[in-house]
Structure formats: structure tokens, C-alpha cells
């Protein structure tokens, strides 16, 4: 199927310019064609045959993070997400990238969405510990290609235990059952952040949910969708829908912002597909971010104090993609003793954006440094954010400043509050002595 952006969606843009100051790449370079308005102009010109899909066109589209901050800012309701996704799919179908670029992108999308392959790839990191990151930052590491250096700098903190950890397929609700739910274990999430999945299950059970983790699940397709590999995304989405349909649950719970955003858009992904369109839309209505679900339920398990100053970072696909801003803050503010703060430029992307920080490492690093400086100004004990990519990006940017921050998912703080402050996964020196 040939892909292209929707002319109707493009024509909703009235070129008012409200999006410009919210766009990270426009902030970096001040270039109209590297703003949402400019990119929509390019999309329209290509659709009407007035612009070629050439190297210049692709460069401006590739530079977009897909952070969707422009969607929040837009007074006309332009749905930029489907536009950039279909434009990237159009590029992958009609434009021939350089051999090196094709190879790098191809390896990433052959590897990351498939946990069994990713587990093998991460084993050397599990054995080397932080040595790979240290090498990337060393003088010798500067001889590596920029993308390889970025990949090592962003390497997740994995261990052999985390790579092979298995989650229980069924966990009973504590007390009377309020909901039957199933948790997406993810691809990178299950390998590098298994403790986030475990905390998710414990909190859901403590607040009255019976929790399933269906076997056979894999990647939801978000990374492929955001990179323009739309048929790969559809294949992964079909498998996800089938697996969770068999689980027979009320809600499908996601603790990674990019995954949740993509899964809520499955109806658009299969628009016009008579076999899957309605099925995908019905599935999407049951998807909830973990913070969204817990606010809907209302807290039941008592929360114990955590005495810490916590910076909350809004993951873009949570705040802009799903419109979820208040729920994580509401849950964190229920924890006695916890001081919750937001950094300056809270809405600006940290530079993670799926595989963006791997394929566009230079602007990603600039945005990461900007985010890290704003966070450092808040003197946090720890940082909380609802997306694994943001955790890795902010940690890397912090290390570049010589700061080793404790960075957690909000669900880990809620879990620690239910179980007791000693259950915190990583605690900074200041918090330990408070």
C-alpha cells in the first residue's frame, strides 16, 4: 500500500505560527523548514507535485523529533502525529537513503523491537557493566562513528538477571477485585527496566486489580511506526491485538509513553482496513497509561512517606501524544513527604524520541544538555519520568555534566511508598540521609 500524508489533515493548518516557539528543532536552529509549519508546507508541496522528495526534503523531515508539542500548541487542532508518520512512510517507500544510513536504521529496527534478538545484543553490556559507556566518553571512543558513540553513551543499565527475568503471568488482586487488567511488558522495557514492570504489577494488585502478563506478546510497533516502517508497525500491532484479546481483560495497561500513544492510535493505523480497522479501534479504547488507570481506580493501598525533592519530567508522548499531565502528578502528590517540582521548559523534548537520539545524535545531545541544565537548576534528589527512552536520555545528559542522578518511573515511587521507602530502587545520597 502506498503511503502519503492526508491532504485534509494538511489543510487544517492555517500557518499561524503558534507552533514555532514550541518546536525543539526550531528553537535550536531558527529555520522555518525545521518547524512544524515549515514541514507541513513541505508535505503539501510534495503531495501536489511542487517539491521533490529529495535529500533536502528528507533532511528536514528526519530532523523532526515527532514530540507533538506542536499539537498541544495548535489552536486549529492540526493532528501532526499522523502527518509526520505517513510522511516518513512515504519517504521510506520513495527515497533511497545512503547505504550506511539504510544499514544503521535497518539494524535498529531488526533488533530493538524483538526481545530475543535484543537480549543477545545486550549481553556484552551486561558483562561489561559501565565500561562501554566509559569507553564512549574516553579519548579513544572519539574515534568511533558518531552514531556508535551515541549508542554506547545511551546504553541501558542491564544485568544478566534483568535480561532473563520473567514476570508472573497472573497476579491476584489484594482484597476485593476491582478490575481485570493486562500489562504490556514491552521490548526494551522488559530487558532494561524489568523493575518498572514489577512495580507496575505490584501497585495494580495492591489497588485492587488482578493482573495478567500475557505470554507471546512483543513490541507494540511504536518504534517502527515513528520511523516510517509502517508495514512492520502493522504486523507488530496485529500480534499485540491478538495476544491481548485472548487475555480477556477490562484494560490493557502500558507504562511506556511512546507505546501507549501508538497503541491508542491503532484505529488510525488500520484506517480503511476492513479486516482490522474496527478491531483495532475497539482494542485502543481499552488501552490506559498506568497513571491514567490508577487515577481512574482511586488509591486503595495506604501510601507511606518518601522524603525527597522529585523533578517530574513530562514524556512527550504522554503529555502531548495522550494528553496525560495531571495524573502522574496527582499520584506522586499523594505520597506524604514528597516534594514535586517541574523544571523550566518542561514541555520541551529531552531529545530521546524513539530512535531519534541514535539516528540524529547531535541535535539530540543538544536537547539533552538543555534538559539536564534545567533539571540541575532544581537541585533534585531524584527525577521521575514515564518513558524508558527519556530515562536513558536524561541519564546520559546528566553523566555528560558529571552528575549521576537517580532516575525512576513514577510507578516505582508509588510502589516504594506502598512498600516503604527502603524499597526505592536507586536512592541519592541526599535522600538517604534526609
Amino acid at each position: 500500500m502506498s503511503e502519503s500524508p492526508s491532504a485534509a489533515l494538511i489543510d487544517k493548518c492555517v500557518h499561524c505560527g503558534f507552533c514555532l516557539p514550541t518546536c525543539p528543532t526550531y528553537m535550536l536552529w531558527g529555520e522555518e523548514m525545521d518547524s512544524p509549519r515549515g514541514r507541513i508546507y513541505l508535505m503539501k508541496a510534495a503531495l501536489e507535485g511542487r517539491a521533490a522528495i529529495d535529500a533536502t526534503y528528507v533532511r528536514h523531515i528526519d530532523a523532526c523529533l515527532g514530540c507533538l508539542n506542536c499539537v498541544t500548541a495548535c489552536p486549529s487542532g492540526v493532528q501532526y502525529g499522523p502527518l509526520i508518520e505517513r510522511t516518513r512512510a512515504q519517504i521510506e517507500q520513495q527515497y533511497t537513503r545512503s547505504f550506511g544510513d539504510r544499514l544503521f536504521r535497518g539494524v535498529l529496527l531488526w533488533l530493538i523491537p524483538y526481545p530475543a534478538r535484543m537480549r543477545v545484543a545486550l549481553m556484552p553490556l551486561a558483562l561489561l557493566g559501565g565500561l562501554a559507556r566509559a569507553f564512549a566518553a574516553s579519548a579513544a571512543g572519539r574515534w568511533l562513528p558518531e552514531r556508535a558513540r551515541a549508542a554506547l553513551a545511551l546504553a541501558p543499565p542491564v544485568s544478566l538477571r534483568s535480561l532473563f527475568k520473567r514476570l508472573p503471568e497472573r497476579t491476584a488482586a489484594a482484597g476485593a477485585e476491582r478490575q481485570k487488567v493486562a500489562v504490556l511488558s514491552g521490548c526494551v522495557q522488559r530487558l532494561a527496566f524489568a523493575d518498572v514492570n514489577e512495580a507496575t504489577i505490584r501497585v495494580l494488585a495492591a489497588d485492587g486489580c488482578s493482573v495478567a502478563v500475557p505470554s507471546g506478546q512483543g513490541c507494540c510497533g511504536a518504534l517502527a511506526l515513528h520511523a516510517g516502517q509502517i508495514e512492520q508497525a502493522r504486523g507488530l500491532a496485529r500480534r499485540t491485538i491478538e495476544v491481548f484479546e485472548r487475555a480477556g481483560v477490562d484494560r490493557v495497561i502500558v507504562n511506556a509513553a511512546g507505546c501507549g500513544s501508538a497503541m491508542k492510535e491503532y484505529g488510525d493505523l488500520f484506517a480503511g482496513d476492513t479486516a482490522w480497522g474496527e478491531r483495532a479501534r475497539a482494542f485502543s479504547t481499552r488501552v490506559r497509561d498506568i497513571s491514567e488507570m490508577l487515577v481512574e481506580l482511586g488509591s486503595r493501598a495506604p501510601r507511606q512517606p518518601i522524603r525527597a525533592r522529585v523533578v517530574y519530567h513530562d514524556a512527550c508522548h504522554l503529555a502531548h501524544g495522550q494528553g496525560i499531565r495531571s495524573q502522574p502528578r496527582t499520584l506522586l502528590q499523594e505520597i506524604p513527604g514528597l516534594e514535586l517540582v517541574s523544571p523550566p521548559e518542561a514541555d520541551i523534548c529531552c531529545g530521546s524520541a524513539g530512535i531519534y537520539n541514535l539516528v540524529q545524535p547531535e541535535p539530540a545531545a543538544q536537547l539533552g544538555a538543555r534538559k539536564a541544565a534545567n533539571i540541575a537548576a532544581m537541585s533534585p534528589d531524584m527525577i521521575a519520568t514515564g518513558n524508558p527512552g527519556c530515562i536513558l536520555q536524561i541519564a546520559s545528559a546528566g553523566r555528560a555534566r558529571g552528575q549521576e542522578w537517580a532516575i525512576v518511573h513514577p510507578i516505582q515511587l508509588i510502589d516504594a511508598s506502598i512498600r516503604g521507602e527502603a524499597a526505592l530502587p536507586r536512592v541519592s545520597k541526599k535522600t538517604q540521609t534526609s
Side-chain angles (χ1 to χ4, degrees):
M1 181 189 298
S2 178
E3 298 292 344
S4 60
S6 162
L9 289 183
I10 286 173
D11 288 342
K12 288 199 73 174
C13 177
V14 298
H15 310 290
C16 65
F18 278 90
C19 60
L20 269 65
T22 73
C23 176
T25 51
Y26 186 79
M27 289 175 65
L28 289 180
W29 306 317
E31 166 62 51
E32 175 72 20
M33 291 300 109
D34 287 317
S35 73
R37 183 174 68 182
R39 292 185 179 108
I40 288 173
Y41 176 84
L42 287 174
M43 293 172 195
K44 184 176 178 69
L47 202 60
E48 295 174 350
R50 295 183 290 107
I53 299 178
D54 57 13
T56 299
Y57 181 96
V58 171
R59 175 169 57 82
H60 291 302
I61 299 299
D62 279 355
C64 176
L65 291 107
C67 69
L68 307 183
N69 200 2
C70 54
V71 174
T72 299
C74 181
S76 302
V78 175
Q79 294 303 302
Y80 185 80
L83 287 176
I84 193 67
E85 289 163 3
R86 292 309 190 276
T87 300
R88 284 181 166 156
Q90 182 185 46
I91 286 170
E92 297 310 315
Q93 291 178 351
Q94 299 183 26
Y95 178 75
T96 302
R97 296 181 179 276
S98 69
F99 173 76
D101 197 19
R102 289 201 313 275
L103 178 63
F104 187 76
R105 290 169 181 268
V107 168
L108 290 179
L109 291 173
W110 177 84
L111 186 64
I112 298 175
Y114 303 96
R117 299 172 190 173
M118 194 64 178
R119 182 178 289 113
V120 173
L122 289 174
M123 278 186 191
L125 290 177
L127 296 171
L128 291 171
L131 292 177
R133 287 198 301 261
F135 176 73
S138 70
R142 294 192 182 96
W143 292 98
L144 289 171
E146 186 180 28
R147 285 174 165 180
R149 194 163 66 249
L152 289 176
L154 291 160
V158 294
S159 65
L160 290 176
R161 180 173 174 271
S162 72
L163 291 181
F164 291 94
K165 187 178 286 188
R166 297 180 67 87
L167 296 170
E169 288 196 24
R170 297 280 173 182
T171 302
E177 180 184 274
R178 303 163 78 187
Q179 290 268 2
K180 290 183 173 68
V181 304
V183 170
L184 179 80
S185 56
C187 38
V188 173
Q189 188 85 325
R190 77 172 70 180
L191 301 175
F193 299 100
D195 48 354
V196 174
N197 284 339
E198 290 177 328
T200 299
I201 293 168
R202 283 193 296 263
V203 173
L204 286 166
D207 276 346
C209 296
S210 61
V211 186
V213 183
S215 61
Q217 61 171 297
C219 176
C220 67
L223 287 177
L225 175 63
H226 299 151
Q229 297 295 340
I230 202 160
E231 285 307 318
Q232 181 184 13
R234 287 184 177 127
L236 294 167
R238 289 187 194 100
R239 177 180 175 180
T240 300
I241 293 168
E242 288 174 336
V243 166
F244 282 94
E245 282 178 340
R246 291 196 297 268
V249 295
D250 305 309
R251 297 284 183 265
V252 176
I253 308 303
V254 188
N255 55 25
C259 299
S261 182
M263 292 165 70
K264 289 180 178 180
E265 295 172 5
Y266 278 177
D268 291 333
L269 182 61
F270 290 101
D273 188 320
T274 55
W276 283 91
E278 190 54 43
R279 192 173 172 183
R281 278 188 291 275
F283 172 84
S284 292
T285 63
R286 293 186 289 130
V287 175
R288 298 289 187 277
D289 180 73
I290 178 60
S291 64
E292 190 179 20
M293 182 68 203
L294 292 175
V295 168
E296 284 182 13
L297 275 175
S299 302
R300 188 164 80 180
R303 271 54 168 168
Q304 301 178 52
I306 294 178
R307 297 170 183 85
R309 179 176 171 85
V310 177
V311 166
Y312 178 72
H313 164 70
D314 285 286
C316 292
H317 275 88
L318 200 58
H320 308 304
Q322 301 179 59
I324 295 175
R325 295 171 177 272
S326 64
Q327 294 93 325
R329 290 176 168 85
T330 296
L331 294 168
L332 292 172
Q333 285 166 344
E334 289 178 353
I335 300 174
L338 190 144
E339 180 190 1
L340 189 64
V341 295
S342 294
E345 297 184 343
D347 282 340
I348 301 302
C349 183
C350 66
S352 172
I355 62 170
Y356 186 90
N357 51 4
L358 298 174
V359 297
Q360 299 280 343
E362 185 176 346
Q366 291 177 47
L367 291 168
R370 188 169 183 146
K371 181 65 66 176
N374 284 326
I375 289 173
M378 307 304 292
S379 301
D381 294 317
M382 62 183 71
I383 301 157
T385 186
N387 195 58
C390 298
I391 292 175
L392 295 177
Q393 175 76 355
I394 294 170
S396 177
R399 285 193 296 270
R401 293 175 55 91
Q403 293 174 293
E404 289 285 345
W405 281 318
I407 309 177
V408 297
H409 192 289
I411 198 67
Q412 293 175 283
L413 287 169
I414 298 163
D415 178 52
S417 178
I418 292 171
R419 297 166 65 208
E421 190 174 5
L424 278 169
R426 292 185 300 166
V427 185
S428 68
K429 182 178 179 181
K430 182 178 176 182
T431 304
Q432 286 177 324
T433 58
S434 63

